[in-house]
Amino acid sequence: MALGQATPTTLQHISLARRGATYFEMSGPGEFIAAAVLFALMILIRVVNILHYRFDSDESQHLHVIWAWARGFVQYRDLFDNHMPLFHMMFAPIFGFIGDRATILYVMRFVLLPMYFVAAWCTYKIGTCLFSRRAGIWAVILAGLYTRYHFISLEFRTDNLWAPLWLLCITVLVTGPLTARRALVAGLLLGLCFGVSMKSILLLLSLALAALLTLLLVGRRNPALSWTHLMQCMAAFVVSTATIPATIMIFFALKGLWHDFRYCVFDFNLLARGASSLAYRIHLALTIIIAIPIILYVARRMISATDGAGLAVRRVFILMVCTSYFLAFKTFWPVRSHDDDPPFYPLVAVLCSGVLLAASTKLISFKWNAGQIVRRVPVPVFLAVGEIFVLIAMQPIWKDRTKRETDLLRNVLTLLKPGDYVLDCKGETVFRQRGVRAVYETITKSAIQRGLILDNAPQRCVETHTCVVATTLIRTFPWDTRRFVKHNYVPVTAELRVAGEELKPSAANPREYDFEVTIPASYEIISPDENISGTLDGIPYNGARFLATGQHIFKPASASHALMLLWARAVARHFTPFEHHTWHTED
């Protein structure tokens, strides 16, 4: 073969890149190759971060509810949860098949991964419908590499089923003419969103506002869209939306659980403080005052620059959906968190990709070096590369930050039997029943401070003989519960405490140890460097013994130091406090 002559494989690759560029309406093979490489890097980083990105407490909280369904418990009645049940009921059979294992958090992240590709497909379809296939591809890449969306969307949480269902609803609405059948399907998808989360009220509100504003701005330029037709479509949409949440409510009512369901999903969430600080309200008012004229101006420019009434309606509708969702979320939703943003990011990425590609086209016409660069490498490529650097800076792909949670689950499975109770913050121990009903998160803590919810964790620990406390989120416990834990449990791992206490000599007789047991259970008295003997409550001590609540006296047979009373099973399974306990310093 002559020097410099292309090999058949090279020619095939060039031909493939050229065909790909033609299909996706790109500027050339170079842009297609850049998009393909960035998409592959996006997936690679996602898979690595599924294995390395730290677990959020919400993930284990949802897994605990799913575990409860898989073990025959009933959400709301047997354990508290303030989410709609569809997400947990869907994944319970999968959890039951996988079983209790310390790596369950990784597995369930991968189980939910297909929903990310559903969201990506919807983003591509919406981008294609509004602008072009090229814009759709770049919207997928820009959204997937954006830090907040990337990290939230890889976690195992309700939002990552909720957001794809919402995007499917939008896709159905904008990818074809509005008919009663299309409205029926879109409403059913929104109803599924309600089955996953009552935050779907924001979605419904944003849809209603976006539809109204679009009609006002664009008008009914299509004669087929009569008021009668619009009312039929709206009725079909509303009825199908109500079907799923109504079915769920009827199910729990027929099971005699309506009171539990209503309190957890509605009454409890209404305990959230709706009032914001004066500074926040001023900031929000200024944002709205500045944003609305800008959005209306952009919408007018979008309408005038768009050929065809149908396309103008779709573009303005998506713009208004984004604006309405953002403003409704910031204005009305009592608990604001970035976890609620996933439905927002892909739609914004679609609009941004359209703007960036239009800017690239403008730059190409300039007779300067940048124009030649942009001809080969469009603006979204530079933005996507920058996003990759930010992602890796925030979460270096070579750093594993998941060990803490997996170690906790492994120790829980080793230390606790299936019928044992545990005290944790939100269900982060996953596989065991919680000794308390309250879930210590934002709404609960605020309600306890205001006296609306009673924190009875200490009493429940005694009643349920709870011998293990997970301290991963111990700062989240109310002060009284935190003090109770420190007084009655000793650390045996970095994340677990078990019932027990350091024994201190009696003030009256240094050869005796007076101590009080709060959690009735079987205990042993141990020392780091000797076997212990003597009398406990006047009876010769020869190992583990059940101790009731109350005062006890231990008299060692010989002078001993560093004595510890510890839950017997922890001793039997080699969980001891000597590496973690600070002697004579805890209150």
Side-chain angles (χ1 to χ4, degrees):
M1 183 176 293
L3 184 64
Q5 185 177 351
T7 64
T9 303
T10 303
L11 291 174
Q12 288 174 2
H13 289 168
I14 294 173
S15 177
L16 178 63
R18 187 172 289 114
R19 289 200 303 270
T22 301
Y23 179 79
F24 290 110
E25 306 167 6
M26 293 180 172
S27 59
E31 182 181 351
F32 175 78
I33 292 172
V37 170
L38 288 168
F39 184 82
L41 285 174
M42 180 184 76
I43 300 303
L44 176 63
I45 294 172
R46 172 165 296 276
V47 171
V48 172
N49 280 341
I50 285 175
L51 298 171
H52 285 177
Y53 182 61
R54 55 114 183 116
F55 292 112
D56 188 88
S57 61
D58 285 352
E59 296 182 78
S60 51
Q61 179 184 1
H62 293 307
L63 271 175
H64 176 66
V65 179
I66 293 169
W67 167 85
W69 276 112
R71 294 297 177 271
F73 297 103
V74 177
Q75 192 173 351
Y76 313 124
R77 183 193 68 189
D78 300 321
L79 73 162
F80 175 86
D81 185 66
N82 64 326
H83 302 85
M84 288 289 278
L86 186 59
F87 177 85
H88 309 101
M89 295 172 77
M90 284 178 57
F91 286 97
I94 299 174
F95 191 105
F97 175 77
I98 296 170
D100 296 355
R101 58 180 66 188
T103 56
I104 188 71
L105 284 163
Y106 300 113
V107 177
M108 296 306 278
R109 277 184 173 184
F110 277 107
V111 168
L112 197 55
L113 181 60
M115 295 309 299
Y116 169 77
F117 292 103
V118 171
W121 178 83
C122 292
T123 305
Y124 169 73
K125 293 295 291 184
I126 295 169
T128 301
C129 181
L130 266 59
F131 299 104
S132 64
R133 291 172 180 168
R134 183 189 189 194
I137 285 293
W138 285 115
V140 170
I141 294 172
L142 293 178
L145 292 173
Y146 181 60
T147 51
R148 284 184 178 174
Y149 183 70
H150 171 85
F151 290 125
I152 291 173
S153 62
L154 63 80
E155 295 176 354
F156 183 76
R157 56 168 65 247
T158 55
D159 305 276
N160 292 326
L161 175 61
W162 177 59
L165 288 171
W166 160 247
L167 291 171
L168 281 170
C169 173
I170 296 294
T171 303
V172 169
L173 287 174
V174 302
T175 53
L178 182 61
T179 62
R181 181 179 179 182
R182 187 175 293 274
L184 194 71
V185 174
L188 185 62
L189 289 166
L190 184 59
L192 290 171
C193 290
F194 273 99
V196 174
S197 173
M198 287 307 295
K199 291 183 295 187
S200 303
I201 293 171
L202 292 172
L203 307 181
L204 180 60
L205 181 61
S206 65
L207 273 181
L209 289 174
L212 178 61
L213 291 171
T214 302
L215 277 175
L216 292 175
L217 290 168
V218 184
R220 293 186 299 109
R221 298 184 182 182
N222 187 348
L225 295 179
S226 64
W227 285 113
T228 301
H229 179 75
L230 288 175
M231 293 302 292
Q232 289 175 345
C233 293
M234 186 173 70
F237 181 83
V238 170
V239 170
S240 59
T241 297
T243 301
I244 301 297
T247 301
I248 291 172
M249 293 177 190
I250 291 170
F251 169 79
F252 282 100
L254 292 176
K255 294 293 183 180
L257 302 175
W258 169 250
H259 175 77
D260 297 315
F261 172 83
R262 187 195 66 191
Y263 173 77
C264 293
V265 176
F266 296 107
D267 297 348
F268 174 80
N269 288 316
L270 292 174
L271 294 176
R273 283 188 179 272
S276 303
S277 66
L278 178 61
Y280 177 82
R281 293 198 296 269
I282 293 173
H283 174 73
L284 178 62
L286 290 174
T287 301
I288 294 174
I289 292 171
I290 296 171
I292 289 179
I294 294 174
I295 294 299
L296 293 176
Y297 173 76
V298 171
R300 288 293 186 186
R301 290 294 303 271
M302 188 179 288
I303 294 169
S304 62
T306 303
D307 296 327
L311 183 57
V313 167
R314 289 193 291 271
R315 288 180 177 178
V316 172
F317 177 71
I318 293 299
L319 175 65
M320 292 304 163
V321 165
C322 293
T323 305
S324 301
Y325 180 84
F326 177 79
L327 294 179
F329 174 62
K330 294 297 182 182
T331 305
F332 300 114
W333 204 246
V335 180
R336 287 172 286 274
S337 169
H338 294 307
D339 301 342
D340 304 318
D341 291 340
F344 177 74
Y345 294 130
L347 297 181
V348 172
V350 168
L351 297 174
C352 287
S353 66
V355 171
L356 291 173
L357 291 175
S360 296
T361 303
K362 291 287 186 182
L363 289 173
I364 288 173
S365 63
F366 293 166
K367 295 181 179 179
W368 56 319
N369 292 336
Q372 297 302 316
I373 295 172
V374 173
R375 186 184 300 276
R376 295 177 176 83
V377 184
V379 174
V381 174
F382 296 101
L383 184 57
V385 171
E387 287 181 320
I388 289 177
F389 280 110
V390 173
L391 269 180
I392 294 177
M394 291 183 67
Q395 167 61 48
I397 58 177
W398 55 88
K399 287 188 177 180
D400 185 358
R401 292 173 174 168
T402 63
K403 188 175 185 297
R404 182 182 182 184
E405 285 75 14
T406 52
D407 284 350
L408 171 65
L409 296 185
R410 188 173 292 107
N411 290 330
V412 165
L413 290 171
T414 302
L415 188 56
L416 291 166
K417 296 179 180 179
D420 291 332
Y421 286 88
V422 66
L423 174 63
D424 61 16
C425 177
K426 299 170 63 176
E428 58 270 23
T429 53
V430 179
F431 307 114
R432 297 296 179 260
Q433 297 180 72
R434 302 180 67 245
V436 297
R437 185 168 176 81
V439 173
Y440 297 108
E441 42 78 71
T442 305
I443 300 176
T444 305
K445 290 188 292 183
S446 174
I448 289 174
Q449 291 171 357
R450 289 181 285 160
L452 300 177
I453 292 179
L454 175 66
D455 176 36
N456 63 345
Q459 298 91 321
R460 287 292 300 160
C461 286
V462 175
E463 292 170 4
T464 58
H465 297 199
T466 299
C467 292
V468 176
V469 178
T471 56
T472 310
L473 302 170
I474 191 170
R475 293 180 182 273
T476 310
F477 287 133
W479 169 245
D480 289 343
T481 296
R482 200 185 316 169
R483 183 172 57 185
F484 174 82
V485 169
K486 289 185 176 181
H487 283 179
N488 297 284
Y489 298 85
V490 293
V492 293
T493 73
E495 310 298 342
L496 286 179
R497 286 175 174 252
V498 302
E501 61 182 290
E502 177 188 350
L503 298 186
K504 300 177 182 179
S506 169
N509 183 356
R511 292 185 58 83
E512 293 183 355
Y513 293 82
D514 297 339
F515 59 94
E516 182 178 3
V517 170
T518 303
I519 309 297
S522 181
Y523 289 93
E524 283 193 39
I525 298 174
I526 59 175
S527 174
D529 49 14
E530 60 180 319
N531 293 324
I532 301 300
S533 60
T535 60
L536 177 58
D537 296 333
I539 302 173
Y541 172 78
N542 55 8
R545 184 186 302 178
F546 181 85
L547 298 180
T549 301
Q551 292 288 333
H552 300 272
I553 300 175
F554 177 67
K555 296 180 180 180
S558 59
S560 301
H561 302 282
L563 295 185
M564 181 71 69
L565 178 75
L566 197 67
W567 184 41
R569 195 188 304 160
V571 178
R573 298 185 180 179
H574 308 291
F575 286 86
T576 57
F578 301 118
E579 295 180 6
H580 304 274
H581 180 67
T582 304
W583 295 92
H584 301 294
T585 59
E586 292 199 79
D587 296 333

